[in-house]
Amino acid sequence: MSEMNAAHKRELDSTGYVVIDGFIQGDELSQLREAAAAAEQLTRSHRWPHRRVVGKQFPPWSDADTPDSWGLRLPQFRAFYANTRLTALAAGLIGCDEGALQMELFNMLILPAKTSFNLSWHRDHVNHAIEAEAEEQALRVPHYGIQFNAPLYDDGCLWVVPGSHRQVRNHIQRELSCNTLPTTNPALMPHAKQVHLKAGQILFYNANILHCAAYPQSPPAPARATLHGSFGDANGGSERAVGVLQHGLEWMKEPSFGDGPGRHMWLRLLDMYEKAGWDEKGGKFSLTE
C-alpha cells in the first residue's frame, strides 16, 4: 500500500470516512454525467424499475410504491465500478486482497422531483433499536466492506457523526436514531457534520458510522448525480451477506448481468447468494423497517 493510501486508511479507521480529491476528472466526468442523465430519464419514465423511492427507506421497493424515485445498467457505470483505480483503493481500505473483492450495491443518488425528504439516522449493519450493550458488541464485529459516494456534481446531502463507527450512542443520539422515522433536522444530532463533496471527489466510509441524508426537491435544488456503492471482502461470508442482500439485488442474478467488466466480482456475489441459502444467518438482515 502506498504511503498516501495508508494515510487514507488511517483516516478512515479514525473518523469513519475519508474524502479523496480529484478521483474523477476530465472526459471521464463528462461521460459519467451524460450516462447519469440517461439513467435518470430511464428511471423517471419507468423503463428502469430497479430504483429506490421516496417515503420508503428500506427495501423491497416496487415500481408501484410511488412515482418519485431517487435511485445501472449502462456500460459507463459498469466500467467505473470495475476500474482498477477504484477496486485497488477499495481493497486497500477494506484490508483485503483485490482478488477477494465481490460485487455488491451500486446505484445513483439523485434528488426527488416532487417532494423533499430525509432519511433516518442509521447504521447499515447495526439495527437502530438495539440496546447499548448489544450495540457495543455489534460495533466490534468486522463487516468486511466499504461504501463510497462519488459525486458528479457538488453534493451536500450526507450527514455523519465522525467516529461513531466505534462509539455506542449517547442517550440523545439514541433518542434521535431509535426508529426509522425521517429526521426533521439532521443538525440536531449531537456532533453531526454535513459532508460537502465537490464534483470528482470520492468519499469512502464505514457503513457503521451513524449517518443520514437530506434530499431537497429538484428543481429548484442544484443538479445531483452521485454514484453510490459498496465492495465487500468475499471472506466475510454471512457477516457480509446480512448487510448486503437486504438491498434487494435479485435482478443482478441474471446471467446477462455477469457479462462485462468485473465478472469475477459478480461470480463472488452469486456465491454469497448461494451460501446465504443454507447459512445460519440466511435471511436475517441487519436492518428492518
Side-chain angles (χ1 to χ4, degrees):
M1 182 184 296
S2 70
E3 183 176 346
M4 179 175 293
N5 287 346
H8 294 326
K9 180 74 164 71
R10 287 193 297 271
E11 185 172 356
L12 173 69
D13 291 342
S14 175
T15 65
Y17 70 98
V18 60
V19 177
I20 299 172
D21 292 332
F23 190 79
I24 308 174
Q25 300 184 38
D27 291 343
E28 183 183 19
L29 183 60
S30 298
Q31 291 166 6
L32 286 170
R33 283 176 171 175
E34 290 179 6
E40 181 175 349
Q41 199 277 332
L42 283 171
T43 303
R44 293 205 189 280
S45 63
H46 295 242
R47 286 182 288 162
W48 176 243
H50 306 290
R51 61 191 185 124
R52 297 184 177 188
V53 297
V54 171
K56 194 171 188 294
Q57 180 159 332
F58 301 114
W61 295 283
S62 75
D63 200 48
D65 286 327
T66 172
D68 202 4
S69 63
W70 63 290
L72 303 172
R73 203 168 185 170
L74 299 179
Q76 296 94 326
F77 296 131
R78 184 67 172 263
F80 174 81
Y81 185 83
N83 190 295
T84 55
R85 289 189 304 118
L86 180 59
T87 57
L89 187 52
L93 292 174
I94 294 172
C96 71
D97 186 87
E98 190 174 352
L101 284 185
Q102 65 188 16
M103 182 178 289
E104 292 185 352
L105 171 71
F106 186 46
N107 59 25
M108 185 176 73
L109 307 178
I110 61 177
L111 294 178
K114 299 179 181 180
T115 180
S116 299
F117 80 108
N118 295 342
L119 298 182
S120 66
W121 280 100
H122 64 283
R123 293 179 168 119
D124 289 350
H125 297 277
V126 180
N127 191 282
H128 55 273
I130 200 169
E131 297 295 333
E133 183 177 350
E135 180 180 355
E136 183 177 11
Q137 294 176 352
L139 291 176
R140 293 175 182 170
V141 177
H143 56 274
Y144 300 94
I146 193 73
Q147 294 190 180
F148 68 86
N149 282 7
L152 306 182
Y153 302 93
D154 292 358
D155 185 345
C157 292
L158 180 67
W159 290 72
V160 302
V161 177
S164 58
H165 62 302
R166 301 189 302 182
Q167 300 169 351
V168 174
R169 293 166 293 177
N170 63 39
H171 72 282
I172 300 177
Q173 291 173 333
R174 184 174 296 277
E175 288 178 0
L176 294 174
S177 62
C178 64
N179 55 50
T180 60
L181 295 176
T183 178
T184 56
N185 181 359
L188 295 177
M189 175 65 71
H191 311 300
K193 178 180 179 180
Q194 185 177 11
V195 182
H196 294 280
L197 297 174
K198 295 293 185 182
Q201 290 182 322
I202 190 167
L203 163 88
F204 289 94
Y205 65 100
N206 184 309
N208 276 345
I209 195 171
L210 196 59
H211 63 285
C212 75
Y215 298 96
Q217 181 182 354
S218 177
R224 187 190 195 218
T226 292
L227 305 182
H228 169 70
S230 70
F231 293 95
D233 177 355
N235 297 308
S238 61
E239 293 298 343
R240 195 67 197 152
V242 296
V244 173
L245 300 186
Q246 65 188 343
H247 291 286
L249 304 180
E250 290 288 330
W251 54 276
M252 292 174 66
K253 291 183 177 181
E254 298 175 11
S256 61
F257 192 87
D259 296 332
R263 178 176 172 81
H264 58 294
M265 294 190 292
W266 176 76
L267 291 173
R268 294 191 191 97
L269 175 66
L270 294 189
D271 185 59
M272 183 172 68
Y273 265 111
E274 181 180 351
K275 290 179 178 177
W278 53 260
D279 188 281
E280 62 181 15
K281 292 193 178 182
K284 299 178 182 177
F285 297 151
S286 300
L287 302 177
T288 56
E289 295 203 65

